[in-house]
């Protein structure tokens, strides 16, 4: 079902439909995360992936319009690249450990320690929270830095544009030059 | 099924590890959208599909058959006899989802600026306008 939604995304050309389908896709993957025991990830995906992302995409679509142009040529080269990459991935996949096996190497480095000791060391029953906020706290701080940088970036990009529009093209900022080029012959 | 397994010994491996196949299909779908479509918004949607496939890969690696969500008992002790799935990939992917939305929002902001500057978000039209401006 997830794969079907993904392929639908690739085929559809009305971008509103695509964005709504992307929301459905996100919600489906949240359901799949629940099945895979990752409840924290599931509700983050449902809130952030299906919620905030969709709203952001819709807001952007309002500004840029929702029709996608028909591709001018048949996409043969991308298809070849994708098939070759997929084949390489499939080849690499053969060596990966079996699905769901408790003896996989992933489960025996620090995961045992987290599961056994985090109750005493941190005192939070949800192990994911304990690891996120304490053992890997620096990761979360880095994440906050990334989000902060992103917010600053968005504000710079859109805030400066609004200023350029207010002062008009004669202000001669770098941003209005491509517009002048477009208006030319 | 048994005859198939004796004829093709790899088929059992393929069926047992279907999670990786789903990841590959989704990842390649996202990759294809990313490189074949000219519309910048559509490219970002493809990038999101690609991201989700990576999330799925990590989460399915953390799954243990018969396991449950990694939440301890009421006294902060692991409940005896309960098998917990690996919490570490969950933490990594929680971070990755939030970072993914942050990068998506920057990408969308860039697309909006490009629309304001060029009047289009189609890659070939932007290239044509650039070539026109250069000549």
């Amino acid at each position: 079902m997830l794969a079907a939604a993904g392929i639908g995304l690739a085929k559809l050309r009305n971008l509103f439909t695509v964005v709504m389908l992307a929301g459905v896709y996100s919600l489906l993957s949240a359901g799949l995360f629940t099945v895979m025991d990752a409840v924290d990830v599931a509700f983050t995906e449902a809130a952030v992936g299906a919620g905030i992302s969709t709203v952001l995409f819709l807001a952007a679509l309002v500004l840029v319009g929702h029709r996608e142009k028909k591709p001018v040529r048949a996409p043969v080269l991308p298809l070849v690249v994708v098939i070759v990459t997929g084949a390489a991935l499939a080849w690499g996949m053969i060596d990966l450990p079996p699905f769901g096996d408790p003896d996989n190497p992933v489960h025996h480095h620090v995961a045992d320690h987290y599961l056994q000791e985090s109750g005493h060391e941190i005192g939070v029953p949800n192990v994911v929270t304990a690891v996120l906020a304490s053992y890997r706290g620096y990761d979360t701080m880095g994440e906050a830095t990334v989000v902060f940088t992103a917010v600053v970036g968005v504000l710079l990009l859109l805030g400066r544009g609004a200023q350029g529009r207010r002062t008009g093209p004669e202000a001669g900022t770098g941003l209005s030059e491509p517009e002048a080029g477009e208006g030319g012959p | 099924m048994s005859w198939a397994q004796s004829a093709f010994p790899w088929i059992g491996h393929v069926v047992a590890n279907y999670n990786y196949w789903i990841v590959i299909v989704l990842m390649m779908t996202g990759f294809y959208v990313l490189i074949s479509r000219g519309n910048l918004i559509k490219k970002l949607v493809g990038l999101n599909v690609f991201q989700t496939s990576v999330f799925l890969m990590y989460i399915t690696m953390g799954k243990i058959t018969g396991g449950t969500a990694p939440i301890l008992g009421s006294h902060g002790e692991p409940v005896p006899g309960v098998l917990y799935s690996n919490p570490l990939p969950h933490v990594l992917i929680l971070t990755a989802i939030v970072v993914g939305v942050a990068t998506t929002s920057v990408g969308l902001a860039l697309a909006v600026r490009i629309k304001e500057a060029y009047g289009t978000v189609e890659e070939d039209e932007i290239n044509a306008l650039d070539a026109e401006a250069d000549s």
Side-chain angles (χ1 to χ4, degrees):
Chain A
M1 208 148 81
L2 210 57
I7 290 164
L9 282 180
K11 284 285 163 207
L12 283 170
R13 198 156 290 128
N14 185 327
L15 289 176
F16 266 121
T17 327
V18 168
V19 168
M20 291 331 279
L21 198 56
V24 171
Y25 168 86
S26 203
L27 205 58
L28 277 178
S29 64
L32 191 58
F33 291 151
T34 316
V35 174
M36 292 291 158
D37 299 338
V39 282
D40 306 79
V41 180
F43 67 63
T44 310
E45 174 75 27
V48 171
I52 298 178
S53 274
T54 311
V55 171
L56 284 177
F57 269 111
L58 285 177
L61 280 186
V62 169
L63 293 171
V64 303
H66 62 95
R67 293 305 303 177
E68 188 190 9
K69 230 178 59 173
K70 250 177 116 67
V72 276
R73 56 186 185 280
V76 180
L77 183 65
L79 206 58
V80 172
V81 171
V82 162
I83 288 172
V84 169
T85 319
L89 284 176
W91 184 61
M93 189 217 80
I94 293 171
D95 287 339
L96 285 178
F99 171 60
D101 186 348
D103 295 329
N104 284 349
V106 205
H107 306 308
H108 295 293
H109 186 51
V110 285
D112 287 333
H113 176 86
Y114 289 155
L115 285 173
Q116 297 302 323
E117 304 298 333
S118 72
H120 298 295
E121 291 180 355
I122 314 295
V124 179
N126 188 338
V127 184
V128 175
T129 312
V131 177
L132 183 77
S134 185
Y135 294 109
R136 302 192 68 88
Y138 280 118
D139 267 16
T140 309
M141 196 176 84
E143 173 194 346
T145 313
V146 170
V147 172
F148 175 73
T149 315
V151 169
V152 170
V154 170
L155 286 180
L156 278 178
L157 280 166
L158 296 182
R160 209 173 137 208
Q163 208 175 37
R165 274 200 304 276
R166 270 200 302 277
T167 50
E170 68 271 16
T173 58
L175 292 170
S176 58
E177 278 165 19
E179 282 171 352
E182 188 197 1
Chain B
M1 202 58 204
S2 57
W3 67 266
Q5 276 189 349
S6 54
F8 308 101
W10 47 268
I11 215 161
H13 183 263
V14 167
V15 173
N17 293 305
Y18 64 96
N19 63 319
Y20 298 128
W21 290 101
I22 297 172
V23 167
I24 290 176
V25 168
L26 285 178
M27 189 181 276
M28 287 305 105
T29 312
F31 189 39
Y32 175 74
V33 173
L34 186 64
I35 61 179
S36 71
R37 296 290 183 254
N39 189 297
L40 296 178
I41 303 283
K42 192 72 174 280
K43 276 180 191 286
L44 283 171
V45 173
L47 199 61
N48 269 1
V49 173
F50 194 103
Q51 270 181 349
T52 312
S53 79
V54 179
F55 300 163
L56 266 183
M57 177 164 162
Y58 272 68
I59 295 296
T60 54
M61 275 182 163
K63 169 76 177 168
I64 297 176
T65 309
T68 182
I71 296 174
L72 304 176
S74 49
H75 305 293
E77 296 278 340
V79 181
V82 171
L83 191 61
Y84 291 112
S85 288
N86 193 343
L88 191 54
H90 301 181
V91 174
L92 299 180
I93 296 311
L94 273 178
T95 309
I97 289 178
V98 176
V99 169
V101 166
T103 50
T104 304
S105 63
V106 175
L108 286 171
L110 276 172
V112 169
R113 286 298 298 132
I114 289 172
K115 170 76 175 179
E116 283 177 1
Y118 288 82
T120 176
V121 286
E122 298 287 345
E123 199 179 26
D124 48 349
E125 293 173 9
I126 294 169
N127 286 341
L129 285 173
D130 270 349
E132 209 175 286
D134 282 344
S135 61

